Amino acid sequence: MSNPSAGASSKSKVGSSQPSETSFKRKRGVFQKDLQHMMYGFGDDPNPLPETVALVEDIVVEYVTDMAHKAQDIGSKRGKLSVEDFLYLIRKDLPKLNRCTELLSMQEELKQARKAFEVDEEKLGTLE
Amino acid sequence: MKQSKDPFEAALEEQEESPPDSPVGEDELNSQTPNEPQNQTDGGHNLLVDDDDYDDMGPNIKNPSHPSSSSTPKLHSTSVNANVATRATTKNKEYDDDEEEENVEVELSKFPSSADPAKMAKMQAILSQFTENQMSRYESFRRSALQRSNMRRLLVSITGSQKISLPMTIVVCGIAKMFVGELVEKARIVMTERTESGPIRPCHIREAYRRLKLEGKVPKRSVQRLFR
């Protein structure tokens, strides 16, 4: 009676009545807490309306999903998915692109810093 | 005189193009933190983690969890620093835990390329004039982030592959955060056009989303989503 495809589309916004499987069921409010602070930071009320937050979360998840699918299409030509695919997708959007390169370089620096920190700690340890 | 180069500084200088004012940057930093000679003898680390995400109060202020930072109140009242300090630990948990030890002792002499002294000075001039309200909003703006673990789970479920690298998660979180920013800002514009006030309502977000789609900032689905 019910459409067999409806059961197959387990990732869509089905109610939480179904038992959770290994796949990620779209649980409500995954990003809710973070999104509230984020929206306040970007100009909303200190307490955004819950329905607004839910809507923004849905939009963001859809955005990330679409981006990931597109990146996968690009990456499949190369073989596997990599960061460059995402960077290629946002190449037209300069603020995002700059921000991403900044994030990546910061992460590199931190990795180096941590490595150097551990090396120095070892040195100090052996001295004492 | 410059202190002896530790391997990290040397590595950094190799990594990045050395801006011509980097010695100036060092001297500035040294002159502004005269009370901290012990840091230099501590193993020669001179790295202030200046990055935007990891130090909210501007590049010249060390992480507030460092006990001696209160002796050098830069621009803000120490109450703000204390406020930030209590949340500094929760904030640091968002990033890797190792980073917390990093922040305590280290001081970057070489700032990332976006933070040349002129820009930093401008930034601090602006920040010093913020009202309490503005400061708290700015703090939320800087500190808020989507959880990497949740994002990673989402990406795994979308792509079906378990191999989602850490840089990819970071990049996607950053992109998503900026997207939220665009949405909220446009929603505010919509609200002022309709001369409404108060918290943002879903209708504003929907209108903002529609406009973003028209501008082409939202990737279009190649396959229409039929069953919601």
Side-chain angles (χ1 to χ4, degrees), chain A residues 3 5 9 11-13 23-24 26-27 30-31 34-35 37-49 51-52 55-56 58-70 72-73 80-83 86-87 90 93 95-97 99-100 102-110 112-114 116-118 120-121 123-124, chain B residues 8 11-12 15-16 42-43 45 47 49 51-54 96 98-99 101-102 105-106 108 112 114 133 136-137 140-141 144-147 150-151 153-155 157-159 164-168 170-172 174-185 188 198-202 205-206 209 217-221 225 227-228:
Chain A
N3 226 339
S5 60
S9 61
K11 258 203 287 182
S12 60
K13 286 171 233 172
S23 67
F24 178 81
R26 181 84 68 84
K27 295 189 277 269
V30 180
F31 293 121
D34 308 315
L35 269 185
H37 294 304
M38 209 183 283
M39 288 174 69
Y40 170 55
F42 279 119
D44 198 357
D45 239 37
N47 292 315
L49 298 174
E51 50 258 26
T52 317
L55 177 62
V56 171
D58 286 344
I59 293 182
V60 165
V61 170
E62 188 177 331
Y63 178 76
V64 169
T65 309
D66 291 341
M67 292 268 297
H69 279 144
K70 285 203 160 165
Q72 234 180 350
D73 292 338
K80 61 178 184 168
L81 187 58
S82 95
V83 190
F86 283 101
L87 294 181
I90 57 172
D93 196 342
K96 290 209 183 80
L97 186 60
R99 175 64 180 165
C100 284
E102 183 186 342
L103 282 174
L104 286 174
S105 68
M106 268 170 18
Q107 211 241 342
E108 266 309 307
E109 283 181 26
L110 276 176
Q112 302 279 345
R114 252 175 251 136
F117 188 68
E118 284 165 25
D120 279 332
E121 259 201 352
K123 264 197 248 163
L124 286 179
Chain B
F8 176 59
L12 257 192
Q15 239 184 36
E16 297 174 331
D42 231 351
H45 277 298
L47 323 155
V49 181
D51 315 314
D52 293 347
D53 280 345
Y54 303 117
D96 295 336
D98 298 350
E99 192 214 322
E101 336 170 1
E102 201 60 29
E105 295 295 332
V106 291
L108 247 186
S114 68
N133 218 351
S136 107
R137 202 181 278 271
S140 283
F141 162 65
S144 63
L146 299 174
Q147 286 243 348
N150 287 334
M151 186 58 80
R153 220 181 303 154
L154 177 62
L155 282 176
S157 76
I158 297 173
T159 63
I164 305 285
S165 59
L166 182 63
M168 197 179 308
I170 295 178
V171 162
V172 174
I175 295 178
K177 176 171 175 181
M178 294 193 69
F179 181 66
V180 170
E182 287 175 357
L183 262 183
V184 172
E185 287 173 5
R188 273 294 181 200
I200 300 183
R201 301 204 299 271
I205 300 274
R206 279 195 211 104
Y209 184 61
K217 298 213 168 149
V218 175
K220 284 199 268 266
R221 306 189 75 98
R225 179 186 264 182
F227 304 106
R228 281 226 174 199

Side-chain angles (χ1 to χ4, degrees), chain B residues 33-138:
Chain B
T33 59
N35 326 343
E36 333 251 347
Q38 69 268 24
N39 264 348
Q40 299 185 6
T41 57
D42 231 351
H45 277 298
N46 261 358
L47 323 155
L48 171 64
V49 181
D50 137 76
D51 315 314
D52 293 347
D53 280 345
Y54 303 117
D55 193 354
D56 314 25
M57 292 297 137
N60 275 336
I61 301 180
K62 297 207 197 57
N63 191 307
S65 57
H66 196 279
S68 52
S69 69
S70 53
S71 63
T72 55
K74 292 285 184 262
L75 336 148
H76 318 285
S77 57
T78 47
S79 63
V80 178
N81 265 342
N83 230 348
V84 169
T86 54
R87 287 197 248 171
T89 47
T90 52
K91 192 227 176 228
N92 277 334
K93 283 201 195 105
E94 287 179 26
Y95 304 93
D96 295 336
D97 290 334
D98 298 350
E99 192 214 322
E100 195 160 27
E101 336 170 1
E102 201 60 29
N103 279 338
V104 171
E105 295 295 332
V106 291
E107 227 184 281
L108 247 186
S109 56
K110 173 95 53 150
F111 302 115
S113 49
S114 68
D116 56 296
K119 260 198 199 162
M120 272 162 34
K122 236 196 265 183
M123 199 61 195
Q124 293 188 4
I126 297 176
L127 282 179
S128 60
Q129 301 188 357
F130 270 4
T131 65
E132 182 112 12
N133 218 351
Q134 290 173 324
M135 187 48 93
S136 107
R137 202 181 278 271
Y138 182 66

